[in-house]
Amino acid sequence: ETGVTQTPRHLVMGMTNKKSLKCEQHLGHNAMYWYKQSAKKPLELMFVYNFKEQTENNSVPSRFSPECPNSSHLFLHLHTLQPEDSALYLCASSPRTSGGAGTDTQYFGPGTRLTVL
Amino acid sequence: AQSVTQLGSHVSVSEGALVLLRCNYSSSVPPYLFWYVQYPNQGLQLLLKYTSAATLVKGINGFEAEFKKSETSFHLTKPSAHMSDAAEYFCAVRNQAGTALIFGKGTTLSVSS
């Protein structure tokens, strides 16, 4: 496997279910991101992890719970979601988050299409 | 605060015609700007990026973009469209903290034969 992979690619869940999305990067990067892509809206940054530490939580509801056990893996745990949470969830990685000069390209996975019934 | 505005949610061109996708940015610091492309059922792929070096940036698949500070613009162009260019295109600016990207709403490019 190369690049950034995400599983599952499609997920349908009820509002009372608990499920998890998985992201794995094979690029040796140290920063990982979760984005939400809804129809007709810009990509929304949800969480940022740098060297396994969460560095940004963009006011995401607590029904979304991220986990980053190591620099290669990122999870998004889901519970008691709402229908409006249906979207494409994209994971990305970069060598690091840029705190100063320079910039780091983010590499995206194919996404998980989530439908909440 | 940083932001991007993509003018036109949908652009249609004929095969062989010029492609022009517009992006204007707002940034309180010198910006780092990106264009990404998303094909159906796929993630985003980097086309090109501006990092304060040359103002004309060349990317993959024949695309290029010109950074114009006076116009706060970073428009994406391609001289001759191919059918395979049909996709959604996103302009993005790095946030002030340098920790993430802020994306525009995207522009869907359709190419007709």
Side-chain angles (χ1 to χ4, degrees):
Chain A
E1 290 272 20
T2 58
V4 181
T5 58
Q6 291 186 243
T7 55
R9 294 293 309 275
H10 300 272
L11 178 62
V12 179
M13 59 187 290
M15 294 168 59
T16 59
N17 291 158
K18 290 184 179 180
K19 296 287 185 182
S20 295
L21 309 185
K22 179 182 177 181
C23 175
E24 185 173 1
Q25 58 94 2
H26 309 268
L27 301 168
H29 290 167
N30 292 303
M32 297 188 78
Y33 312 77
W34 279 117
Y35 287 89
K36 176 184 179 182
Q37 186 178 27
S38 305
K40 308 301 182 186
K41 294 177 68 175
L43 266 73
E44 300 171 61
L45 177 67
M46 300 176 73
F47 302 103
V48 181
Y49 278 82
N50 195 33
F51 293 92
K52 301 186 298 178
E53 297 297 320
Q54 186 179 126
T55 58
E56 194 151 338
N57 176 338
N58 202 22
S59 302
V60 181
S62 60
R63 57 185 183 270
F64 295 92
S65 175
E67 178 189 2
C68 188
N70 55 61
S71 293
S72 299
H73 295 85
L74 184 64
F75 295 89
L76 188 62
H77 304 300
L78 316 171
H79 63 96
T80 60
L81 294 191
Q82 305 298 312
E84 59 264 30
D85 297 322
S86 299
L88 181 67
Y89 288 85
L90 292 165
C91 174
S93 72
S94 68
R96 68 185 189 283
T97 62
S98 301
T103 184
D104 294 295
T105 300
Q106 292 186 20
Y107 296 81
F108 284 80
T112 295
R113 175 69 63 186
L114 174 67
T115 303
V116 181
L117 302 177
Chain B
Q2 274 68 7
S3 67
V4 291
T5 301
Q6 291 185 242
L7 302 175
S9 59
H10 200 140
V11 171
S12 297
V13 300
S14 299
E15 194 171 21
L18 171 71
V19 175
L20 171 61
L21 304 182
R22 299 178 187 273
C23 173
N24 288 90
Y25 70 89
S26 172
S27 179
S28 55
V29 297
Y32 292 103
L33 296 159
F34 304 77
W35 275 100
Y36 280 84
V37 61
Q38 186 178 31
Y39 298 102
N41 301 313
Q42 294 187 29
L44 278 67
Q45 178 184 3
L46 180 71
L47 277 177
L48 49 81
K49 62 182 179 182
Y50 168 76
T51 59
S52 75
T55 56
L56 182 62
V57 182
K58 294 188 183 298
I60 62 171
N61 302 337
F63 284 93
E64 62 182 36
E66 186 172 8
F67 173 71
K68 291 188 176 180
K69 183 178 180 180
S70 61
E71 298 178 9
T72 62
S73 68
F74 189 57
H75 301 331
L76 182 71
T77 61
K78 182 174 180 177
S80 177
H82 295 157
M83 297 293 287
S84 60
D85 294 327
E88 189 156 19
Y89 292 79
F90 294 91
C91 182
V93 62
R94 196 181 70 169
N95 67 0
Q96 187 168 351
T99 56
L101 299 181
I102 299 169
F103 286 85
K105 291 186 177 182
T107 297
T108 301
L109 176 65
S110 300
V111 182
S112 59
S113 56

